């Protein structure tokens, strides 16, 4: 973005149009004060460049308006020697790097839980069946006071078995995958949510109907998306203000992820976003969202988001979370199926 002597916007490239959610024509008819508040640190950077020349860089800036919201932005300002007073601004969004960092954390958490699930399944379920069977035999051969103890043993064995079965969801068992229409998955999730976990909350759909299919497992994608919509609904119900849930899809170029143990890079152009207008996620919780057994709910298990992270990772995708008061967005970046080959693009 080229800024004139009086902070008029003289030129922007196509990336700036996407960044500020405005067209080039709109931006060139505006000034910088039309984009950010007049007391924003960006104007201090401009003054420094004009007074000292050279290049000045600011890190960790927040740029936020009703049209766009960016955090952790690096802005580099450089003078234009042939045109005094003009400053060339370069905006660098570090969110992609943050997404990849989070993805590595999700993978680590998923591997840890998968290993624990395998140990539990092998070491606990088999002897547990024997304990339960013995308790059932005792029920019919002991007096009434002791029968209550036998029933207690049986019930506790059932409870432990149920916990182990929930943990088995994290196992590395292969599941069948095929081309999946993500919009049919979202429509099914919307129907389930509207008649269950999100009853009475408006659910807005904003889809790009031209999207290619995802290479994935329909049931697992339904499980992930329904859990995310359920979390959004609970956040809205827990606030004092009415709110909405928005489901969006889009095709976005830019994110490529290197496959583990190979030099190939996966393109993740399909974007699915679940947005809610709830109170937002606490900053202390946000970095640990996808860790297993972490929950803020009195009756929660802390496994829902950890499982979501594992499933999306198994699909070759990544999850991005952005939250502030009044808006939380969870975005799924997924690979698509190449039409000519039928393989992941």
């Amino acid at each position: 973005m080229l800024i004139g002597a009086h902070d008029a916007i003289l030129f922007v490239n196509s990336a700036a149009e996407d960044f500020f959610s405005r067209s080039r024509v709109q931006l060139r008819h505006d000034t910088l004060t039309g984009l950010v508040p007049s007391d924003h640190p960006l104007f201090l950077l401009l003054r420094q460049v004009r007074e000292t020349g050279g290049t000045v860089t600011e890190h960790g800036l927040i740029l936020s308006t009703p049209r766009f919201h960016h955090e952790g932005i690096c802005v580099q300002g450089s003078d234009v020697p042939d045109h005094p007073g003009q400053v060339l601004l370069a905006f660098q969004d570090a969110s992609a790097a943050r997404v990849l960092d989070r993805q590595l954390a999700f993978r680590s958490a998923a591997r840890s839980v998968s290993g624990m699930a395998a140990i539990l399944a092998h070491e606990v379920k088999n002897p547990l069946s024997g304990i339960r069977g013995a308790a059932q035999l005792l029920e019919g051969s002991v007096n009434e006071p002791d029968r209550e103890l036998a029933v207690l043993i049986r019930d506790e064995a059932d409870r432990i078995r149920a916990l182990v079965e929930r943990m088995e969801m994290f196992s590395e068992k292969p599941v069948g995958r095929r081309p999946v229409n993500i919009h049919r998955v979202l429509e099914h999730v919307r129907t389930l949510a509207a008649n269950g976990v999100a009853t009475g909350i408006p659910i807005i759909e904003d889809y790009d109907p031209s999207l290619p299919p995802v290479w994935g497992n329909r049931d697992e994608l339904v499980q992930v998306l329904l859990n995310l919509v359920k979390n959004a609904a609970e956040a809205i119900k827990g606030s004092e203000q009415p709110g909405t849930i928005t489901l969006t899809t889009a095709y976005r170029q830019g994110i490529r992820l290197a496959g583990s143990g190979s030099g190939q890079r996966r393109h993740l152009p399909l974007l699915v976003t679940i947005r809610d207008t709830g109170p937002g996620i606490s900053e202390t919780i946000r970095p640990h969202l996808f860790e297993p057994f972490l929950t803020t709910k009195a009756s929660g298990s802390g496994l829902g988001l950890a499982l979501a992270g594992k499933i999306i990772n198994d699909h070759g995708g990544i999850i991005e979370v952005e939250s502030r008061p009044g808006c939380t967005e969870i975005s799924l970046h997924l690979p698509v199926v190449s039409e000519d080959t039928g393989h992941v693009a």
Side-chain angles (χ1 to χ4, degrees), residues 132 135-136 139 149-159:
R132 190 185 190 284
Q136 282 183 303
E139 282 184 53
L149 294 176
V151 171
L152 177 64
I153 295 172
R154 185 196 64 191
D155 291 345
E156 286 300 290
D158 288 340
R159 185 178 65 83

Side-chain angles (χ1 to χ4, degrees), residues 19 42 45 56-63 70-77 89-95 98:
F19 187 84
L42 197 55
L45 181 147
V56 177
T57 304
E58 285 281 352
H59 297 275
L61 296 183
I62 297 176
L63 301 171
H70 303 290
E71 296 182 8
I73 302 301
C74 173
V75 182
Q76 186 178 74
L89 296 177
F91 299 84
Q92 297 180 344
D93 189 352
S95 61
R98 293 197 302 271

Side-chain angles (χ1 to χ4, degrees), residues 3 7 32 42-50 87 89:
I3 303 297
D7 294 340
L32 195 59
L42 197 55
F43 292 99
L44 177 60
L45 181 147
L46 287 174
R47 187 165 69 248
Q48 286 181 295
V49 173
R50 286 165 177 158
V87 178
L89 296 177

Side-chain angles (χ1 to χ4, degrees), residues 1 3 6-9 22 30-40 42-43 46 65:
M1 175 180 284
I3 303 297
H6 300 288
D7 294 340
I9 298 173
R22 289 189 184 183
D30 206 344
T31 64
L32 195 59
T33 53
L35 293 179
V36 295
S38 58
D39 59 349
H40 195 276
L42 197 55
F43 292 99
L46 287 174
T65 73

Side-chain angles (χ1 to χ4, degrees), residues 71-133:
E71 296 182 8
I73 302 301
C74 173
V75 182
Q76 186 178 74
S78 303
D79 66 333
V80 183
D82 295 337
H83 300 279
Q86 293 187 7
V87 178
L88 183 64
L89 296 177
F91 299 84
Q92 297 180 344
D93 189 352
S95 61
R98 293 197 302 271
V99 169
L100 297 181
D101 287 342
R102 290 170 184 163
Q103 181 64 13
L104 293 175
F106 300 164
R107 287 178 180 175
S108 177
R111 283 195 297 267
S112 299
V113 177
S114 298
M116 184 165 53
I119 293 172
L120 283 171
H122 183 266
E123 300 294 339
V124 176
K125 287 184 71 175
N126 290 337
L128 203 60
S129 297
I131 294 171
R132 190 185 190 284

Side-chain angles (χ1 to χ4, degrees), residues 279-332:
I281 303 170
S282 167
E283 291 186 7
T284 58
I285 295 294
R286 209 175 304 165
H288 310 285
L289 272 179
F290 292 86
E291 294 179 7
F293 305 113
L294 177 73
T295 182
T296 58
K297 305 171 187 174
S299 59
S301 65
L303 296 177
L305 287 178
L307 180 60
K310 178 189 181 300
I311 290 175
I312 296 303
N313 176 65
D314 290 345
H315 279 71
I318 57 179
I319 298 182
E320 181 181 13
V321 180
E322 296 291 341
S323 183
R324 60 188 187 276
C327 181
T328 295
E329 290 186 357
I330 298 185
S331 301
L332 312 182

